[in-house]
Amino acid sequence: MPIVQYALAFILTLLLTTELFAAEAVEQTKAKKRPNIMVVLCDDLGYGDLACYGHPVIKSPHIDRFATEGLKLTSCYSAHPNCSPSRTGLMTGRTPFRVGVYNWIPMYSPMHVRKQEITIATLLRQAGYATCHAGKWHLNGMFNLVGQPQPSDHGFDHWFSTQNNALPTHENPFNFVRNGKPVGRQEGYAAQLVADEAQQWLTNLRDKEKPFFMFVCFHEPHEPIASAERFRKLYPAPQDSTLPAHHGNVTQMDDAFGRILKTLDDQKLRDNTLIIFTSDNGPAITRRHPHGSSGPLRDKKGATYEGGIRVPGIVQWPAHVKPGTTSDIPVSGLDILPTLCAVADIPVPTDRVLDGTNVLPVFKGKSLKRTKPLYWQFNRANNAEKVAIRDGEWKLLARLDVPSLKPSGGITTQAIDNVKQAKLAEFELYHIQSDIAETTDRSESEPKRFEQMKKQMQEIFEEVQAEAPRWPAWEFARYEGKILSEYYRKQAEAKKKQDK
């Protein structure tokens, strides 16, 4: 090659290299200017379980103050009325049914958020964010085992997580895993341990040259409830009552949340951090702990009525979100991915259907226009109506024409067949804006709207059904149930000995 050609090739290579370095430098500068983001997700915290949402007894001073300093959402929805699907929708921006997470995921289940799904953590990490998950994961059955993606595969640099509940209870658990390594028995309560990890990561472990995304997933107030005495004693009750444990559990979580906020303040991070606080579904209201509150809403966790899906939602972002404001515009966990992409100035995935909407205008006190209704589907819902949509002020619910499924963590052939074969059946229509408790079916008095919303629901239902994957049949292993039963058995034996 003549010397001139060598020189031209060298110059071209130099220019390309310089351009690449310049582009990388621009991206690094852009990343540094992006805001920090923290999403805080509670477990089974009902719409009426906080003082700032009207609970007359429960003390939640840190969350209440947080609400006065930010935006309180009064029509905030989870992506699903149950835990794993709700988390799936939040992480992917996609209706969990189309992703294939149809129910809560027990340990060893084949159901999981597949590798081809793109999470908000992955998008933010690719954009230069340091990422951390602390708390409940619940997006796979083979947690910390081969064969399914782990938190690190779905975008988290650092993770301190449990598959589902802290075991055997949320006091002194043994099943936390940090970055793939089990940490063994921990001293303390789950909320405290999750807050400790979040504080440690913020203070000492994160790359401080990068903006951060932290996903804090409290276990509280999900069973098996365990609350420190200093929180239980705030709620006097008869000796055999479980109310102090439940109410104290919410206050215990509030205390842990307050500690994380203090760390943000101590690190001088609060002014440039967007914080979203919410819950994965409505209150459980179980036989052991029947104390959760849906407030004025109908039903509870597991239902497609409002009590199962409408949850607390509070947003704080200094200089962007006006303090002490309230919005009744419907927003959903599905909206988090597209909204955080807008906040971080990164593109949303265009190779798949996203069901969420960028709700940044709501955060800034503006109106919002959705291109399609909010959608929920739970074939194992507690109520007869398994599918719901909300469009503006109206909500439509529908039954399915297949046999109802019994509550189970297993996967039966019938359950998977139902996914693909079910058709919409009977419908109910509510003007949710004026009838928050869903007391009056308006399907006969609003025939035009009724038919219009039925058509909307049918279109989404068919689209989601076509994309929904099939899982192999799997017998429920009852891993957690066996551990918990053994724990309660030993407790009962110890009590008998003490009584003697």
Side-chain angles (χ1 to χ4, degrees):
M1 180 183 292
I3 191 166
V4 174
Q5 287 179 296
Y6 275 119
L8 287 172
F10 175 76
I11 291 168
L12 182 60
T13 303
L14 185 64
L15 287 171
L16 288 172
T17 304
T18 303
E19 188 176 329
L20 287 171
F21 276 123
E24 186 177 341
V26 168
E27 278 303 307
Q28 288 176 352
T29 302
K30 194 175 180 181
K32 286 180 181 180
K33 291 181 179 178
R34 286 169 171 149
N36 305 309
I37 299 166
M38 182 170 77
V39 176
V40 179
L41 188 67
C42 300
D43 198 348
D44 290 0
L45 184 74
Y47 187 79
D49 275 335
L50 298 172
C52 56
Y53 278 84
H55 200 286
V57 176
I58 289 178
K59 297 173 175 62
S60 47
H62 298 287
I63 300 169
D64 297 344
R65 184 168 63 252
F66 181 72
T68 65
E69 295 170 347
L71 168 67
K72 187 173 82 166
L73 303 167
T74 53
S75 288
C76 180
Y77 290 94
S78 59
H80 193 272
N82 205 349
C83 40
S84 294
S86 178
R87 293 158 198 274
T88 298
L90 186 155
M91 288 293 287
T92 65
R94 286 158 53 80
T95 293
F97 209 86
R98 75 163 77 244
V99 176
V101 180
Y102 309 123
N103 195 9
W104 70 279
I105 303 177
M107 188 66 183
Y108 303 123
S109 172
M111 190 182 294
H112 64 281
V113 176
R114 296 168 297 168
K115 195 168 186 177
Q116 62 260 44
E117 296 296 335
I118 300 175
T119 70
I120 185 58
T122 295
L123 293 169
L124 290 172
R125 182 165 68 179
Q126 290 172 349
Y129 275 72
T131 56
C132 171
H133 176 266
K136 178 171 175 172
W137 178 240
H138 219 190
L139 295 182
N140 64 3
M142 305 299 286
F143 177 70
N144 207 39
L145 299 170
V146 296
Q148 294 176 5
Q150 304 303 320
S152 53
D153 300 308
H154 278 310
F156 290 101
D157 303 323
H158 182 92
W159 49 287
F160 177 72
S161 316
T162 61
Q163 189 268 337
N164 180 15
N165 294 317
L167 295 174
T169 73
H170 295 157
E171 179 183 9
N172 303 333
F174 66 78
N175 64 324
F176 271 94
V177 174
R178 180 183 290 114
N179 300 329
K181 296 181 180 179
V183 298
R185 186 176 184 272
Q186 302 290 290
E187 294 287 334
Y189 295 85
Q192 167 203 328
L193 297 170
V194 169
D196 286 349
E197 191 75 12
Q199 290 177 295
Q200 174 71 355
W201 186 77
L202 285 169
T203 305
N204 300 316
L205 301 177
R206 66 185 172 91
D207 183 345
K208 295 184 180 180
E209 292 299 308
K210 297 180 177 181
F212 67 79
F213 169 60
M214 188 160 62
F215 189 26
V216 177
C217 297
F218 289 121
H219 298 78
E220 289 75 13
H222 193 290
E223 291 187 333
I225 288 174
S227 303
E229 172 60 24
R230 70 187 178 104
F231 299 114
R232 292 199 307 268
K233 70 181 183 181
L234 297 173
Y235 306 99
Q239 191 172 1
D240 60 347
S241 174
T242 58
L243 183 144
H246 174 273
H247 287 9
N249 211 236
V250 177
T251 306
Q252 182 168 271
M253 177 274 296
D254 174 84
D255 180 77
F257 177 61
R259 287 173 48 213
I260 298 173
L261 293 180
K262 184 177 184 304
T263 300
L264 290 173
D265 289 335
D266 291 345
Q267 295 284 307
K268 295 181 171 47
L269 295 167
R270 191 81 163 268
D271 287 347
N272 191 37
T273 301
L274 165 63
I275 306 171
I276 301 173
F277 176 96
T278 189
S279 177
D280 65 345
N281 46 247
I285 312 183
T286 65
R287 177 182 56 82
R288 188 181 292 274
H289 294 99
H291 311 294
S293 172
S294 300
L297 310 177
R298 180 175 178 178
D299 227 315
K300 59 180 181 177
K301 173 183 178 178
T304 54
Y305 287 122
E306 293 290 282
I309 53 177
R310 195 186 292 210
V311 292
I314 307 170
V315 181
Q316 187 184 112
W317 189 13
H320 296 272
V321 173
K322 187 177 179 180
T325 53
T326 300
S327 173
D328 199 41
I329 297 174
V331 300
S332 164
L334 294 172
D335 300 328
I336 285 180
L337 183 144
T339 302
L340 295 188
C341 284
V343 167
D345 191 22
I346 57 178
V348 297
T350 56
D351 62 342
R352 64 202 61 216
V353 175
L354 292 181
D355 298 291
T357 298
N358 170 17
V359 296
L360 198 52
V362 178
F363 293 178
K364 296 187 175 184
K366 300 176 182 177
S367 60
L368 181 71
K369 178 67 176 176
R370 288 187 182 275
T371 57
K372 56 184 174 182
L374 291 172
Y375 178 87
W376 298 268
Q377 182 174 349
F378 188 24
N379 287 18
R380 292 184 183 271
N382 298 336
N383 57 322
E385 294 70 28
K386 312 299 182 186
V387 184
I389 62 171
R390 176 162 178 179
D391 187 20
E393 298 182 358
W394 295 85
K395 182 178 175 185
L396 183 74
L397 296 99
R399 300 186 181 193
L400 298 175
D401 68 346
V402 291
S404 292
L405 300 166
K406 294 179 181 178
S408 174
I411 303 172
T412 63
T413 302
Q414 180 196 24
I416 295 299
D417 286 345
N418 281 4
V419 167
K420 290 297 186 181
Q421 297 171 6
K423 291 182 174 55
L424 299 174
E426 303 170 48
F427 299 85
E428 298 175 1
L429 178 67
Y430 297 97
H431 184 244
I432 208 70
Q433 192 72 22
S434 63
D435 184 17
I436 194 173
E438 296 167 290
T439 61
T440 306
D441 182 358
R442 303 281 292 275
S443 54
E444 291 187 5
S445 62
E446 293 280 343
K448 186 176 179 180
R449 186 176 301 277
F450 182 52
E451 292 303 321
Q452 174 197 347
M453 291 189 69
K454 280 171 63 177
K455 183 180 178 182
Q456 287 177 304
M457 180 184 281
Q458 185 67 41
E459 288 174 355
I460 301 172
F461 178 80
E462 290 177 3
E463 178 199 323
V464 169
Q465 191 176 51
E467 189 174 353
R470 296 184 71 98
W471 299 110
W474 177 73
E475 185 176 348
F476 187 20
R478 301 186 182 278
Y479 170 80
E480 289 195 2
K482 290 172 183 175
I483 291 173
L484 192 57
S485 294
E486 179 64 13
Y487 172 81
Y488 285 139
R489 185 187 67 78
K490 288 181 178 179
Q491 267 199 331
E493 285 183 358
K495 188 174 185 308
K496 281 183 182 178
K497 288 180 181 178
Q498 189 178 10
D499 292 343
K500 287 180 181 179

